[in-house]
Each structure stands twice: as structure tokens, then as C-alpha cells.
């Protein structure tokens, strides 16, 4: 329903109703019904009641109008609420601090915090002293506008000038803002300040900080705060537990997360679908799909029904294990339960098909989801590109990449990594370099992974000089090579017979705090053996074993061929005997 503005003499846009004046109790009942009700006609019903209230002579009190407009605000119809407030003003209904606070809130929600502060000035001019709700609303508006520093300064001013005493909502708003911009330590300081003051924190403030600590990968600190909270008699809620369970799962601590779920039930907090979905998703990412299925069964025993997110996690779990048939069964099961798959669901399945080299199935599903009205996203296209390159179809991959850009989808850094890797593996290093030079994004041009892919690609395409130039360029930009970059470059030097440079680079990487791994040692030993540098290979093989790394099957095969017949002295035999002794001890 569209509400039209009225002037003071003409009632434009109002319907004609019975001349009988509804009683105040009648309006009370209808407002109460709207506040407690739901449904698609709620806003229209509220607007109709607003028209009726304006027609009543004399009109109901400002309190009734405020209660009714609050219903509109709770439905997030902020612009409509502002129109109604303006209409009341035109009808001569005086504003009070509560209606002005509603106006400030609506403007802040519409990203118009400047209008909110203008209304604050109006309050002062009209002689209405702003209350705590006014300032809390403005602080929240600044947080919503990502102006957290200003929000904190306003909060400090309330304290410094003793304007008003902040309550839990005010503290919570500032704590939430600090966590939002990553200042979790400051939020924790403010929480501690609350604990020492008269306004004690409640579960909402603790939960925000606990969630932020978990997101900052400080889950042990979050658990400490949780223990401290419960010691103070503050009972955790579903949000607190979900944050901790999610944090534990992100660190592969599913056993502790499962115990946390049991603990929450013992404390009388019922886990939700979201709680179990966190566990299902984590089990699947760890490859423990059976545990994920058990979690789904546990949901069912509690009367909870898996949603599209739960099923999508299961499908992804099976696809990661290469068990595509089981993933398809889950998809069929969710469709039978009238749960509509989303693009995330299909992305997992497309990725699974591509990993299993079932590119025809992936292409068919890619087309099918578009026929269903779903729009492929960057992840969909990236998976398809990986599948097409992996199946040796670079022409189709290039065509798909062009289609993606034509549809206005900007490739992300993962897409470019897949693209360059695919091009290099299909002997298109020159084209990959041209495309790399054409990228205007600083983020892309300074991505170490992209440089590593191109260095490796140039090396394998027989262009070692270009590979070395790219490495020099990377270093000149001040970028830090990772262990994979160093491994690729050491391989380039070894293949070119530049073993001195390879050794120097190995020592340099350690000086830079990047330690060699098993892959690097295997690469070095294999390259040395290929060049008949047996003594140097033995030195690195021994160093490798002393550092706790084992030769892979390729290295082991090459080494075995170099061991002389029984009875002849051989350093290589001694090294292998040492290796087998270590393996027996581990067993």
C-alpha cells in the first residue's frame, strides 16, 4: 500500500470509513495484534490502521502512533516509517522524544546517519533533552556506517561529560562495532571495564567477544572467556555455544566441539539446525563423512530437519572423497524432501565431477542449473575451468572464461590461479604471461601463488630464463616467496646445472624463516641424481632424513638402483639402512 502525504486542510489518500469513532481499546487491540502477528499483509494492515487513526477526532495519543510505527520499523520498512512520521507532522500531531528517536533510527538504518545528527540538533532546539536511546541509536548508526572510531568517541564523550549513564545496549553496540572492525582486544577491554562497573555485561556482550575471538583464531582465549562468564553466573545461549563449536571445528577440534554440544544440552540449551550443520560441515571437510552422517541422524532424533546448507555440506564431503554416487544420492534425497538445492549445492557437485574427470556430467549440470533459473557464480565458473583444463580442453576453457567476463562476472584470485595453471599445463605459458602483464589489479600482480605458477610453468615449457626473471621480479617487489616458490626455483637451478645457486637459495630461505619441507628435499635429491651428482645427493638425503623427512617413492626407486651388490662399501646403503631403522621404530 502506498501512503500519500497530506496537508493540514485536505486528507488526500485516506479511505472512507464509518463515521463511528473507534474506541481507544479497539486501537489497542489491533496494535497488539499487529505487534504479535506475522504474515505478508502485516505492513498493509498497519498502514490501514494508521489511516483510521488519523481520521479519528480527536486522534489517538502520540503513544499509539509511536507503537504502530514501531511495528513498521520492525518489518524493516524504514522509508515507509519516515513517510508516516512526516504525515503526522503535517496533520499537526506534535513529535516527542520517542518519535524523534524512531526517525533517527530509520535514517541510520538507511545509511543516512548525517540526518540522524541533524535531528539531534532539532531535539536541542525544541528543548527536548536527548535520552540514552537517542545516543545509543546514533552510536549504532555510526557502527552501521563503518565509522566505528567516531562511535567510540561519542561513547567516550557520554562518560567524560557525564551526559548519561550507558546501559547494556549502549555498551553492546560499541563492543559489536569494535569486533566488526577487528579490534577484538579493545572490545575485550571494554567488556572487562563493564565487569568492574555497575552495568554488568550479559550473555549478549560476552557472546559477541567470544565469536570475535574465534574468528581471530584465538579459540583458547574464547574458551577462557566462556569459563570466566559461566563462573560469574552468566548463562550461555545458543549463539555462544555455536560460536565456540564453530571456532573449535575451524581448528580441527571436532571431538571438543562434539563434547561442547553435549555440555550445552546438559545446561538446558537445545542445539539448533545451525549447530549440527557446523559439525556436519567440519566433519565433511576433514573427510569424515560417516561422522557427518551420524550427526545428521542425531539431528533427526531431536526432531530437527537438515536444511539446504546441511545437505550441501554432505554433498561437498562426498565429492571431496571422490564418492560421487553417494553425493548424487544425497541430492536426490533432499529433492524428495522438497528442499531446493542452491548454487552452492550444485557447485560442490560440479567440482566433484571435474575432480573425477567426468567433464561431460559437469557440463550437463552446468547447463541444467541455468535452465532451472539459477545463475552460475565465480565458484561455478572456476570449477568448470579447472575441469576443462584438467581434461585437456584449453579451447573450451578459454571460451568459458570469455563467457564469464561477458556476463559481468569478475574473476577472483582463485579463478586466475586456475586459469594460469591450466594454461601453463597446456603449453600456453606465453599467453599466460601476456595475460598476467595485462592485469590491472595490484592484488593480482602481487600474488605470490600466481608468480609461483608462472615460474613453474615457464620452467616446464623450457623457458628457464623467463622463470628466473619472474623470480627476480617477485623479489624486487618486496614479496616473500613461500616454500613452494623456493622449491620451484631450486628445481629450475638444478635442471640448469646451477647447483651452487640452488644450495645458496636453500640456505637463504632458511635465513628468511622459511623452512624446507619434504617436497623440496625430494626435488633436490632427484635432480642431483639425474645429473649424476651422487655425493651431493647423498649429503642432501642424509640431511633430509636427519630433519625427519622421508624420501617419496620416486626418490626411493632412484636410490635403490645406486646401491651396489652385497659386500661392497656404500654410503647410500648405510643411509637406507638408517632409514629402515627409523621406519621400524615408528611402527
Amino acid at each position: 500500500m502506498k501512503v500519500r502525504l497530506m496537508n493540514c486542510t485536505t486528507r488526500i489518500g485516506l479511505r472512507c470509513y464509518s463515521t463511528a469513532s473507534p474506541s481507544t481499546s479497539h486501537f489497542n487491540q489491533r496494535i497488539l495484534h499487529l505487534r504479535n502477528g506475522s504474515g505478508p499483509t502485516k505492513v498493509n494492515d498497519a498502514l490501514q490502521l494508521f489511516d483510521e487513526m488519523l481520521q479519528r477526532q480527536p486522534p489517538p495519543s502520540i503513544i499509539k502512533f509511536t507503537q504502530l510505527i514501531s511495528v513498521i520499523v520492525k518489518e524493516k520498512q524504514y522509508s515507509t516509517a519516515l513517510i508516516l512520521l512526516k504525515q503526522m507532522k503535517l496533520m499537526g500531531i506534535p513529535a516527542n522524544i520517542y518519535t524523534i528517536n524512531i526517525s533517527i533510527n530509520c535514517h541510520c538504518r538507511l545509511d543516512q546517519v548525517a540526518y540522524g545528527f541533524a535531528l539531534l540538533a532539532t531535539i536541542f532546539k525544541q528543548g527536548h533533552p536527548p535520552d540514552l536511546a537517542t545516543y545509543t541509536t546514533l552510536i549504532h548508526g555510526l557502527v552501521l556506517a563503518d565509522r566505528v572510531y567516531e562511535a567510540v568517541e561519542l561513547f567516550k564523550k557520554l562518560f567524560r561529560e557525564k551526559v548519561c549513564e550507558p546501559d547494556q545496549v549502549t555498551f553492546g553496540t560499541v563492543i559489536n562495532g569494535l569486533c566488526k572492525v577487528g579490534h577484538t582486544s579493545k572490545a575485550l577491554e571494554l567488556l572487562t571495564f563493564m565487569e568492574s562497573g555497575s552495568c554488568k555485561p550479559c550473555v549478549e556482550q560476552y557472546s559477541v567477544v567470544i565469536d570475535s575471538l574465534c574468528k581471530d583464531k584465538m579459540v583458547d582465549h574464547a574458551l577462557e572467556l566462556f569459563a570466566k562468564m559461566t563462573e560469574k553466573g552468566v548463562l550461555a545461549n545458543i549463539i555462544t555455544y555455536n560460536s565456540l563449536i564453530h571456532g573449535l571445528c575451524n581448528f580441527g577440534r571436532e571431538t571438543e566441539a562434539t563434547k561442547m554440544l553435549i555440555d550445552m544440552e546438559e545446561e538446558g540449551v537445545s542445539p539448533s539446525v545451525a549447530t549440527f550443520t557446523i559439525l556436519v560441515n567440519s566433519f565433511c571437510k576433514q573427510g569424515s563423512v560417516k561422522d557427518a552422517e551420524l550427526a545428521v541422524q542425531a539431528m533427526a532424533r531431536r526432531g530437527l530437519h537438515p536444511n539446504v546448507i546441511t545437505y550441501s555440506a554432505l554433498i561437498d564431503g562426498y565429492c571431496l572423497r571422490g564418492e560421487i554416487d553417494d553425493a548424487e544420492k544425497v541430492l536426490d534425497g533432499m529433492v524428495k524432501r522438497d528442499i531446493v538445492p542452491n548454487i552452492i549445492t550444485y557447485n560442490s557437485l560440479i567440482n566433484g565431477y571435474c575432480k573425477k574427470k567426468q567433464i561431460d556430467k559437469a557440463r550437463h549440470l552446468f547447463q541444467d542449473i541455468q535452465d532451472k533459473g539459477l545463475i552460475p557464480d565465480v565458484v561455478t565458473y572456476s570449477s568448470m575451468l579447472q575441469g576443462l583444463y584438467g581434461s585437456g580442453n584449453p579451447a573450451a576453457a578459454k571460451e568459458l572464461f570469455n563467457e564469464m567476463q561477458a556476463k559481468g562476472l569478475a574473476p577472483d584470485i582463485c579463478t586466475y590461479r586456475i586459469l594460469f595453471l591450466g594454461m601453463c599445463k597446456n603449453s600456453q605459458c606465453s599467453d599466460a604471461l601476456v595475460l598476467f602483464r595485462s592485469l590491472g589489479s595490484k592484488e593480482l600482480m602481487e600474488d605470490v601463488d600466481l608468480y609461483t605458477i608462472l615460474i613453474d610453468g615457464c620452467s616446464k615449457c623450457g623457458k628457464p630464463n623467463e622463470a628466473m626473471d619472474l623470480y627476480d621480479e617477485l623479489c624486487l617487489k618486496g614479496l616473500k616467496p613461500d616454500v613452494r616458490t623456493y622449491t620451484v626455483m631450486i628445481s629450475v637451478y638444478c635442471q640448469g646445472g646451477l647447483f651452487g645457486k640452488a644450495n645458496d637459495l636453500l640456505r637463504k630461505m632458511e635465513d628468511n624463516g622459511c623452512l624446507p619441507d619434504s617436497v623440496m628435499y625430494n626435488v633436490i635429491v632427484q635432480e642431483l641424481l639425474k645429473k649424476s651428482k651422487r655425493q651431493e645427493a647423498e649429503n642432501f638425503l642424509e640431511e633430509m632424513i636427519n630433519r625427519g623427512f622421508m624420501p617419496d617413492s620416486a626418490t626411493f626407486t632412484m636410490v635403490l638402483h645406486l646401491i651396489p651388490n652385497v659386500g661392497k662399501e656404500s654410503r647410500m646403503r648405510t643411509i637406507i639402512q638408517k632409514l629402515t631403522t627409523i621406519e621400524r621404530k615408528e611402527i
Side-chain angles (χ1 to χ4, degrees):
M1 178 185 298
K2 185 178 180 182
V3 178
R4 287 173 279 182
L5 297 179
M6 295 174 270
N7 58 38
C8 294
T9 58
T10 310
R11 296 181 180 178
I12 301 172
L14 295 179
R15 300 171 193 76
C16 294
Y17 300 101
S18 168
T19 55
S21 179
S23 65
T24 302
S25 63
H26 170 74
F27 287 130
N28 287 343
Q29 289 172 1
R30 290 177 66 183
I31 291 170
L32 184 63
H33 176 74
L34 284 167
R35 288 169 72 175
N36 297 331
S38 60
T41 64
K42 185 173 181 177
V43 174
N44 280 344
D45 292 343
L47 293 175
Q48 179 175 317
L49 180 56
F50 179 82
D51 281 355
E52 291 180 37
M53 287 168 65
L54 276 186
Q55 283 204 62
R56 185 179 186 271
Q57 290 301 325
S61 70
I62 186 67
I63 296 171
K64 299 304 166 194
F65 280 104
T66 304
Q67 290 173 343
L68 181 59
I69 292 173
S70 294
V71 172
I72 303 287
V73 173
K74 284 183 179 177
E75 293 298 307
K76 301 182 180 180
Q77 301 294 316
Y78 307 118
S79 297
T80 302
L82 288 171
I83 291 172
L84 299 185
L85 289 164
K86 187 172 183 181
Q87 198 165 347
M88 286 167 56
K89 183 180 178 182
L90 290 170
M91 291 296 292
I93 299 172
N96 62 13
I97 189 64
Y98 301 107
T99 55
I100 295 174
N101 283 348
I102 290 173
S103 294
I104 291 172
N105 181 40
C106 290
H107 281 299
C108 288
R109 298 279 185 174
L110 293 168
D111 196 22
Q112 300 168 352
V113 70
Y115 284 101
F117 277 96
L119 285 168
L120 177 64
T122 302
I123 293 173
F124 283 116
K125 286 178 184 177
Q126 292 179 353
H128 297 300
D131 60 9
L132 179 59
T134 313
Y135 288 110
T136 301
T137 303
L138 286 167
I139 288 169
H140 189 227
L142 290 167
V143 170
L144 289 174
D146 292 325
R147 293 162 62 179
V148 176
Y149 176 78
E150 293 170 68
V152 172
E153 288 304 306
L154 178 56
F155 176 76
K156 287 179 179 177
K157 183 177 180 179
L158 300 185
F159 263 108
R160 189 169 54 248
E161 300 180 10
K162 297 182 180 179
V163 177
C164 53
E165 189 72 25
D167 61 8
Q168 286 179 334
V169 177
T170 318
F171 274 104
T173 303
V174 178
I175 287 170
N176 186 56
L178 288 167
C179 291
K180 180 183 176 183
V181 294
H183 293 316
T184 310
S185 59
K186 293 291 182 185
L188 189 57
E189 285 177 19
L190 187 55
L191 188 71
T192 305
F193 178 79
M194 280 186 78
E195 289 175 332
S196 63
S198 58
C199 181
K200 304 295 183 185
C202 62
V203 65
E204 283 77 17
Q205 285 85 57
Y206 279 110
S207 295
V208 168
V209 179
I210 285 169
D211 183 61
S212 192
L213 286 167
C214 289
K215 286 174 179 173
D216 288 347
K217 301 179 180 180
M218 299 170 69
V219 69
D220 287 325
H221 288 79
L223 289 167
E224 287 172 14
L225 182 59
F226 171 73
K228 181 181 176 184
M229 176 187 91
T230 51
E231 283 171 12
K232 291 180 178 293
V234 180
L235 299 177
N237 60 19
I238 185 69
I239 296 170
T240 324
Y241 282 112
N242 282 358
S243 295
L244 287 167
I245 289 169
H246 202 178
L248 288 166
C249 286
N250 284 340
F251 277 86
R253 295 161 67 173
E254 287 82 11
T255 304
E256 292 172 74
T258 304
K259 187 180 181 303
M260 180 73 70
L261 186 143
I262 295 167
D263 290 345
M264 71 185 281
E265 288 189 303
E266 289 176 353
E267 292 295 326
V269 181
S270 299
S272 63
V273 173
T275 316
F276 279 101
T277 300
I278 291 166
L279 284 168
V280 169
N281 186 52
S282 186
F283 283 134
C284 287
K285 281 185 166 35
Q286 295 291 333
S288 307
V289 186
K290 286 183 179 178
D291 289 329
E293 290 280 14
L294 290 173
V296 172
Q297 291 169 21
M299 288 176 71
R301 287 196 298 272
R302 290 162 175 79
L304 298 172
H305 302 289
N307 58 20
V308 65
I309 303 170
T310 321
Y311 281 115
S312 296
L314 265 179
I315 288 170
D316 190 49
Y318 279 119
C319 288
L320 289 172
R321 288 170 58 91
E323 297 168 357
I324 304 299
D325 291 342
D326 290 315
E328 290 174 336
K329 286 175 186 175
V330 175
L331 180 67
D332 293 339
M334 68 185 288
V335 172
K336 284 178 184 175
R337 291 175 177 84
D338 294 324
I339 298 172
V340 181
N342 59 21
I343 193 64
I344 296 170
T345 319
Y346 287 117
N347 282 349
S348 295
L349 204 50
I350 286 172
N351 186 50
Y353 286 141
C354 291
K355 291 280 172 69
K356 292 289 285 185
K357 309 292 184 185
Q358 297 177 7
I359 193 64
D360 290 336
K361 277 191 172 184
R363 294 176 92 163
H364 180 268
L365 184 57
F366 180 74
Q367 185 57 52
D368 189 43
I369 62 174
Q370 293 177 80
D371 295 339
K372 291 181 192 302
L374 287 171
I375 300 171
D377 59 13
V378 174
V379 177
T380 325
Y381 277 100
S382 297
S383 295
M384 285 299 301
L385 285 170
Q386 195 166 31
L388 289 167
Y389 277 121
S391 63
N393 201 338
K398 185 179 179 182
E399 186 180 331
L400 186 69
F401 180 73
N402 291 338
E403 176 193 309
M404 174 186 179
Q405 291 185 302
K407 288 187 176 180
L409 269 176
D412 63 13
I413 201 157
C414 292
T415 315
Y416 278 111
R417 287 170 186 165
I418 289 167
L419 184 70
F420 288 138
L421 184 62
M423 293 175 79
C424 289
K425 283 188 174 180
N426 284 274
S427 304
Q428 297 176 336
C429 292
S430 298
D431 293 338
L433 279 171
V434 170
L435 179 58
F436 179 68
R437 298 299 179 202
S438 70
L439 298 176
S441 166
K442 184 181 179 183
E443 180 193 7
L444 293 170
M445 294 295 288
E446 294 187 354
D447 182 63
V448 172
D449 285 340
L450 283 183
Y451 269 104
T452 304
I453 289 166
L454 290 169
I455 292 167
D456 190 40
C458 287
S459 171
K460 288 175 179 173
C461 287
K463 298 181 178 181
N465 291 333
E466 283 88 338
M468 287 186 268
D469 288 344
L470 281 166
Y471 177 76
D472 290 341
E473 182 181 309
L474 178 151
C475 294
L476 284 170
K477 284 185 176 181
L479 304 178
K480 289 186 177 180
D482 58 20
V483 67
R484 167 134 178 80
T485 318
Y486 282 118
T487 302
V488 169
M489 270 313 298
I490 285 172
S491 177
V492 171
Y493 287 141
C494 288
Q495 287 171 16
L498 304 171
F499 295 107
K501 280 195 170 186
N503 189 59
D504 290 344
L505 188 57
L506 176 64
R507 305 310 165 199
K508 182 181 177 182
M509 69 176 281
E510 293 189 72
D511 292 340
N512 291 337
C514 184
L515 297 177
D517 60 8
S518 177
V519 176
M520 174 172 286
Y521 276 113
N522 277 293
V523 166
I524 294 171
V525 172
Q526 288 174 30
E527 292 299 335
L528 286 167
L529 290 175
K530 285 176 187 176
K531 298 289 185 181
S532 300
K533 299 282 184 178
R534 180 167 174 167
Q535 186 176 345
E536 290 87 342
E538 289 172 344
N539 291 339
F540 275 106
L541 189 60
E542 203 158 31
E543 180 181 320
M544 172 186 186
I545 295 167
N546 289 336
R547 289 195 172 194
F549 299 123
M550 297 294 112
D552 60 22
S553 58
T555 307
F556 205 80
T557 302
M558 293 176 76
V559 167
L560 285 176
H561 287 301
L562 298 174
I563 299 175
N565 295 329
V566 178
K568 291 185 179 180
E569 289 287 331
S570 170
R571 184 185 174 195
M572 192 67 81
R573 180 184 286 112
T574 305
I575 294 170
I576 295 299
Q577 285 172 344
K578 181 180 179 181
L579 177 62
T580 54
T581 303
I582 293 170
E583 287 180 339
R584 278 199 297 271
K585 284 181 181 178
E586 288 178 349
I587 293 169

